Amino acid sequence: MEEARPNLHFTNSYSEAIPGADVVFIAVGTPPTLSGAPNLEFLSQAARCIGQHMNGGFTVVVNKSTVPIGSGNWVGALLREAFEQRAEQRAEERADGGSVEFAVASNPEFLREGSALHDSLYPDRIVIGADEPRALEVLYSLYRPILDQTFTAPTYLPRPETVFAVPLVSTDLASAELIKYAANSFLALKISFINEIGLVAERVGANIGEVARGIGLDSRIGPRFLNAGLGWGGSCFGKDTAALIATASEYGLHMPIVEAARKINRSQRDRIVEKLLQELKILKGRTIGLLGLAFKPNTDDLREAPAIEIAQMLIDRGVRVKAHDPIAMERFQREHHDMAVQLCRTGCEIAEGCDALVLVTEWSEYRDLDWEALAKKMRYPFILDGRHALDRDKLTRSGLHYVSIS
Ligand code: UGA
């Protein structure tokens, strides 16, 4: 941050930021609506305000937000409309009309929460899409230091030895917009695929971790996003798979593969309750502790976090729910204060009197908990590992009955 400070200026004033800018990025949220289609209100507001403040020169307006296919053209129309309205007003005031040159581009982001800086500087690829070649040229020169990796790597984030140059995908607007949805949907279905295989692995007594390793080493498949378990949460995969299905249906198309990925993901959460029922027989009146609330480690983001849904399912079945998270508890208190969940500060506090512990988020510190001490505090020393993250042998030696989700 310190190194970037001289080049950064923050403002909440459009009239300060927009006039004279060569490139304007729109990076507003596009949260899902009830139907699955994204809410584009923030995007349209931003486009209108940018249009009102553009003042000549050639401006590239870049959609960084994840937006439905076709939004680029729509943003272009909003920009033009807002610019023309403003120009009319000015003409009335000063009779000096004017014209503006701009182009809309799409530049989807592939940043993961918790590793956004790394993913920005050392991405697997950069995708730019525009129907106007001049816009692509501007973006190409903007990204050149990252594409060629000629910038000085920050001391706190050294360049990985395997990164030399970054491939560029330069394409039309609609393709760039579809790439983002297709990428997130593919990652989502990769996770659901391994979870479906996990079901079979469980029945036939195979080890899903070994199966994932065995298939992932095939370079056509790749090892990442094959961690079986509770499935995905967060603000991206759920929203983007729903948006892709919603867009396709506007064209009369079904997306059975993406729909199946969503269904499997949902059912992974039910499996936690099923496994607890199998082990404890009766849930009513039990005390169950959840280790982890955030949708993944290294963030306090609770959007679509499996922990929230699991906690609710257990509460609905008469369970007393306790929970711990290294950083997300404050946020949980703010956003879910109406949920009857007892938050605990330490592993021992959560284990006290529990009939089961469920590992929901694979924070690395959970691997090194004093499991022997925890087992002694529990009423029934049962641990359900929802992420295949714990060492079965170590926990068994510590006196716990260990079960994983598949
Ligand atoms: C995701 C994509 O990975 C980014 O490329 C994309 O830019 C971003 O969405 C976005 O659209 O903005 P993010 O949601 O931050 O990033 O997090 P991921 O690291 O992708 O994890 C998503 C979920 O999948 C987490 O709940 C994680 O626990 C789960 N997951 C991930 C698995 O269950 N198994 C895996 O093997 C990998």
Side-chain angles (χ1 to χ4, degrees), residues 21 40 54 69 75 99 106 108 125 128 178 193 246 266 285 317 321 339 344 351 360 366 370 392 397 404:
L40 299 178
M54 288 187 307
I69 298 129
V75 165
S99 68
S106 165
R125 79 303 205 183
I128 53 178
L178 183 53
F193 174 80
R266 173 82 258 306
R317 282 165 180 76
V321 178
M339 282 183 87
C344 303
V360 181
Y366 290 152
D370 183 350
R392 174 192 293 268
R397 279 198 308 276
S404 62

Side-chain angles (χ1 to χ4, degrees), residues 286-338:
R286 301 279 190 188
T287 301
I288 294 177
L290 305 182
L291 289 171
L293 289 166
F295 84 95
K296 67 172 186 179
N298 306 320
T299 174
D300 68 348
D301 195 341
L302 297 168
R303 285 175 292 176
E304 292 201 38
I308 309 296
E309 205 176 332
I310 292 168
Q312 195 55 57
M313 286 193 283
L314 293 176
I315 292 168
D316 293 346
R317 282 165 180 76
V319 173
R320 183 169 157 244
V321 178
K322 297 169 95 178
H324 172 270
D325 190 284
I327 64 170
M329 293 206 287
E330 246 176 64
R331 191 158 180 175
F332 181 86
Q333 255 166 341
R334 272 200 315 275
E335 295 177 2
H336 297 278
H337 47 84
D338 50 337

